[in-house]
Amino acid sequence: MADVIVGIDLGTTNSLVAVCDDRGPRIIGCGSHGGLVPSVVRFTAGGLVECVGEEALGQASSQSARTVSGAKRAIGRPYETAAAEVRGIGSLVDDGQGRPTYAVGATRQSPERVASAILRALADRASAELSTAVQRAVITVPAYFDDAQRQATRDAARLAGVEAVRIINEPTAAALAYGIGRAGAAPETIAVFDLGGGTCDISILEVTPPVSGSGSGDLPGSADSGFFRVIATAGDTSLGGDDLDVAMARSIDPGLDGLAPGDRHDLVRACEAAKVALSGASSASLAWRGRKHEIAVEHLRELAQPLLDRALAACARAWDGADRLPIDRLLMVGGSTRAPFVREAVGHFFGVEPCTALDPDCVVALGASVQAAVLAGDRRDLLLLDVVPLSLGIETVGGAFAKLVMRNASIPTRATEMFSTSVDGQRTLLLHVVQGERELVRDCRSLARCTLSIPPMPAGIPQVEVTFTIDANGILAMSAVERRTGIRAGLQVVPTYGLSRAEVEAMEQESFTHARDDMRRHRVIDLVANASLDLGWIDAALARAGSDLDQATKSNVEAAASTLRGMVAQARRDVDAVDAEAFHGAKEALDRASVPIHEASIARTLREMSATNQGKIQ
Ligand code: ADP
Ligand code: MG
C-alpha cells in the first residue's frame, strides 16, 4: 500500500472515500454513519477550519454564522448563476471578481476552500485506516460539470494537499462499481439515475468495452479511454430528498416557514428520520410539539408524487437526448433511491428492473476506487469472473446451507428451488443468502438477508420458489415468490466483493478438510427437522387414538418417542453431541412403533366415512 490511490465521491450533501484492493472496492470508515461524511464545514471566527462532517452538521443551526454546506453548488461557477441556485447554509457573496465566496464572520471562504476541507478530512480518514499517508485520489464530479467546475475541483484537491490523479464522471464511476465495461463484454446502453439530497441527475451512457485479449484482462475499461461515453444528461438542480423532508414537515405544521430557524431545522430533521424509516417499514412516527404523528408510507408517497413527476420529466429529457435507445441496465445512485417507490417509478419509466446490488450511497465512491486501482495498476489479483468462485445458496431450518448455484458454475447462470415452512402458522420467512463450500451456515460467509411475509398456513403448505440469477458481471439477484399468494421479495448483491483470491482458496481447502464432519452435521440437522415433525404428529395422534390402542402399543410408542425427543433436544443444543447413526436408528424405531397408530387411524376414518354415507342415504 505504498502509493495507494483512493476514490472520493465529493457530494453536495455527503462525501465518501473508498479504496480498492485485492478484495475489491470498499468504503473507508464504514463504522461511523456508514462512512458518510456530511459535506459541511465549520470555520473559526478567524477563518480556520474548526470541524468537518457530522460534528459541523450537528451544530449547524446553532453555529450557522460559521458553518457552510452545499458548496458543490457554487464551486467553479460565476457568482450570478451560483447565487440564483444556492441552497444550504452559509451566505454567498460576490468576491469582487464575479466569483462566489462565503462570508464567514469577517473572513471570506471560497467554495474551493470549503471543498478542500472536506477532501482533507477524507484523506485523513483514509490515511488513518490504511496506515499510510494518502496523497492521491480519483475524484468524481457530475457529468454536466463544465471545465471550470472540474478545474475548481482540482484546485480544491491541491489546496488539501491531495493530487487529483483523475476527475471522472459520477455515472461512469457508478458503472465501474458494477463492473460494467469489462473486456470482451457486449456494448450496452445504461441509464444512471442519481437522486441525492438536493439534486437529481440522469445520465445515459454508451459503454463499449475493449475487445478481449487487448491486455486489460478482465478489468473494466479505464473511464477516460472512450469506453464510457456520456450521450445525454438531464437533471434538476433543485430536486432531492431534502424537498420531501420539507413537504413532510409542511404537512405536519403548515406554518413551517414562520417557525424560528432552529425549530424549523429540528422538525425537518425529524421528518427526514421518519422518511428514512419508511423505506423499510409501512409506517413511522415522530413527535412534534408534544403530539405524536403517525405517517403511513402511502401518505409519504402522495407527498412525493409531485417530486417524482419532476424526476421522471428529467428522465424523459435525458432519454429523448439519447433518441430513446433501449436501456439495457438502470443503475440507482444516491440515498433517496433507497425509497422503494422511487426505484419502482424509475424502473417502470425505463422499462427495466433497476440494479440495486450496491448501496446507492456508496456506489460512486466505490467506482472511483476501482478507477484508482486501475490507474495504480494493482487490480491484477482481482477474482476472475467467468465462473462463480464459491457456491451460493440460502439458509434452511437448523442452520443448514442449501446450495442453489455450485462453485465453478459459469456465468451468467440461473437456478431455482422450492422451499417451505417448518412451523405451523409461520408468517415470516428469513431469506438468508450465504456463500461458501461448507455444509453449515455458521461456517460460510453471510451475504445478505431479507424477509418474505406470508399469511399463516400449516407447516409445509407454503410453496416458496427461490431463484438465483447471476449476470455476466457476477451480480447476484435473488427473488422469492410464494406461489399460492404471489407474494414476492428479493435482493441483489455482489458476492465477490470483500473476498480475495487467497480467501477463496482457503475456503475451498477448508471444505475438503471438514467434508466428513460437515456431511454428518448436515444429516443431523435434517434429522432434527424431520424427527420434530414426526414427534409433533405422534403426540396429537396418541391423544386422538385413545381407546383404539392397547396399553402395550401406547407404551411402546411413548418409549420410542421419548428416546427420539431426547436426541432432538441434545442435537439442538449441539449438533456434534449426537451420533448420526444412533439418531437415525431412533427415528426408524419410532416409525416402526407407530405403525399400529396409523392402522388405527385408517380404521377410524373408514368407520366415520361409512357412518356419514349411511347418513346421506337416509
Ligand atoms: P448527495 O449526492 O446530494 O450528497 P446522498 O446521495 O448522500 O446526497 O443522498 C442524501 C439523501 O438521501 C438525503 O435526502 C437523505 O434523506 C436520503 N436518504 C438516505 N437514506 C434514505 C432512505 N433509506 N430512504 C429514503 N431516503 C434516504
Ligand atoms: Mg451523490
Side-chain angles (χ1 to χ4, degrees):
M1 278 274 167
D3 200 15
V4 60
I5 309 178
V6 295
I8 291 180
D9 169 8
L10 186 61
T12 311
T13 318
N14 294 301
S15 298
L16 289 114
V17 55
V19 68
C20 178
D21 53 23
D22 64 349
R23 292 153 184 265
R26 72 186 148 91
I27 297 294
I28 290 175
C30 245
S32 62
H33 306 279
L36 289 175
V37 175
S39 304
V40 183
V41 179
R42 183 164 82 232
F43 293 92
T44 64
L48 299 175
V49 174
E50 189 170 280
C51 61
V52 174
E54 211 57 52
E55 194 187 342
L57 175 66
Q59 290 158 21
S61 56
S62 59
Q63 303 287 350
S64 60
R66 293 193 281 120
T67 306
V68 176
S69 77
K72 186 174 175 180
R73 290 175 180 280
I75 201 164
R77 303 178 74 186
Y79 173 73
E80 291 299 326
T81 46
E85 231 178 56
V86 89
R87 283 179 163 198
I89 314 159
S91 60
L92 206 61
V93 296
D94 191 327
D95 74 346
Q97 291 168 350
R99 283 191 301 254
T101 186
Y102 291 93
V104 178
T107 72
R108 294 288 179 269
Q109 305 295 340
S110 67
E112 287 86 337
R113 179 149 149 81
V114 178
S116 85
I118 299 163
L119 290 170
R120 189 63 252 162
L122 294 168
D124 287 345
R125 194 176 252 241
S127 302
E129 185 163 317
L130 304 175
S131 311
T132 179
V134 171
Q135 288 163 331
R136 305 203 290 161
V138 169
I139 302 172
T140 60
V141 296
Y144 61 77
F145 257 28
D146 63 18
D147 286 344
Q149 287 165 300
R150 286 167 202 259
Q151 187 52 48
T153 305
R154 277 185 192 284
D155 293 344
R158 196 171 33 75
L159 278 176
V162 174
E163 181 199 349
V165 272
R166 192 144 302 165
I167 301 283
I168 66 169
N169 292 326
E170 288 163 8
T172 301
L176 287 168
Y178 272 100
I180 294 170
R182 193 166 282 115
E188 54 184 334
T189 307
I190 64 169
V192 181
F193 178 81
D194 181 347
L195 189 61
T199 55
C200 173
D201 298 315
I202 299 96
S203 316
I204 314 272
L205 310 189
E206 193 177 67
V207 187
T208 319
V211 287
S212 266
S214 62
S216 48
D218 71 320
L219 305 180
S222 181
D224 63 345
S225 54
F227 301 139
F228 295 87
R229 197 166 67 87
V230 179
I231 47 180
T233 66
D236 194 323
T237 49
S238 52
L239 171 64
D242 299 349
D243 298 281
L244 187 50
D245 307 341
V246 171
M248 285 172 84
R250 196 161 283 132
S251 85
I252 283 171
D253 191 338
L256 180 73
D257 297 312
L259 295 177
D263 288 350
R264 185 183 194 279
H265 178 86
D266 290 346
L267 176 56
V268 172
R269 290 212 79 184
C271 288
E272 182 187 8
K275 174 192 74 176
V276 167
L278 285 170
S279 286
S282 56
S283 79
S285 64
L286 65 87
W288 177 242
R289 302 223 151 130
R291 254 193 71 199
K292 194 173 158 198
H293 295 261
E294 200 65 37
I295 305 166
V297 74
E298 292 79 22
H299 182 52
L300 180 69
R301 191 166 186 334
E302 271 166 38
L303 291 171
Q305 193 58 52
L307 304 172
L308 270 179
D309 288 344
R310 281 167 63 196
L312 295 180
C315 289
R317 288 197 302 278
W319 206 9
D320 286 343
D323 294 331
R324 297 252 161 186
L325 274 171
I327 301 299
D328 298 305
R329 227 191 298 230
L330 170 62
L331 309 186
M332 290 282 135
V333 179
S336 300
T337 63
R338 287 239 186 72
F341 58 80
V342 172
R343 294 177 174 184
E344 272 160 35
V346 181
H348 185 256
F349 179 82
F350 285 109
V352 276
E353 181 82 12
C355 296
T356 54
L358 298 177
D359 184 335
D361 277 330
C362 303
V363 58
V364 168
L366 293 174
S369 79
V370 169
Q371 174 70 88
V374 170
L375 290 171
D378 50 40
R379 283 229 354 184
R380 256 164 307 236
D381 213 29
L382 264 191
L383 288 169
L384 275 171
L385 277 169
D386 48 352
V387 296
V388 177
L390 291 168
S391 302
L392 294 162
I394 64 167
E395 175 168 359
T396 57
V397 70
F401 176 23
K403 293 174 185 158
L404 273 89
V405 176
M406 294 301 168
R407 191 171 82 81
N408 284 340
S410 55
I411 58 172
T413 184
R414 188 187 169 88
T416 294
E417 220 167 284
M418 298 297 296
F419 294 90
S420 193
T421 51
S422 58
V423 178
D424 285 338
Q426 198 173 325
R427 305 190 71 129
T428 51
L429 270 83
L430 175 66
L431 297 159
H432 182 194
V433 180
V434 182
Q435 174 181 50
E437 298 317 311
R438 303 283 302 275
E439 294 291 325
L440 300 194
V441 166
R442 64 167 198 216
D443 299 317
C444 295
R445 186 166 176 252
S446 167
L447 288 179
R449 300 162 204 265
C450 72
T451 54
L452 184 70
S453 303
I454 55 167
M457 286 182 251
I461 295 300
Q463 295 183 353
V464 182
E465 185 182 273
V466 176
T467 304
F468 275 32
T469 314
I470 302 173
D471 75 5
N473 293 314
I475 296 164
L476 164 67
M478 188 235 6
S479 68
V481 55
E482 200 289 308
R483 294 240 287 233
R484 288 169 202 278
T485 54
I487 294 170
R488 301 178 166 274
L491 56 82
Q492 297 175 11
V493 270
V494 186
T496 50
Y497 279 5
L499 269 184
S500 69
R501 186 186 298 274
E503 279 167 319
V504 169
E505 277 159 16
M507 284 170 87
E508 193 187 327
Q509 196 49 50
E510 239 179 71
S511 78
F512 298 144
T513 319
H514 297 284
R516 271 180 99 76
D517 282 347
D518 270 7
M519 229 126 86
R520 190 188 58 74
R521 288 191 184 120
H522 202 143
R523 188 161 170 224
V524 169
I525 285 174
D526 288 347
L527 279 166
V528 166
N530 292 332
S532 305
L533 285 177
D534 287 358
L535 287 167
W537 179 84
I538 288 283
D539 280 344
L542 271 179
R544 242 182 299 122
S547 57
D548 293 350
L549 292 175
D550 58 58
Q551 197 47 50
T553 308
K554 274 195 200 167
S555 20
N556 234 348
V557 172
E558 273 158 8
S562 135
T563 310
L564 188 60
R565 195 166 284 122
M567 294 183 120
V568 167
Q570 214 181 348
R572 280 218 170 104
R573 277 195 302 273
D574 176 6
V575 259
D576 294 325
V578 286
D579 178 66
E581 276 312 313
F583 197 172
H584 182 74
K587 187 178 172 302
E588 302 247 281
L590 177 63
D591 284 348
R592 279 195 304 276
S594 49
V595 169
I597 307 189
H598 290 286
E599 287 169 356
S601 132
I602 290 168
R604 195 177 51 252
T605 310
L606 287 175
R607 272 203 309 277
E608 284 164 6
M609 271 170 65
S610 61
T612 45
N613 285 344
Q614 280 165 13
K616 274 180 194 154
I617 291 165
Q618 285 173 355

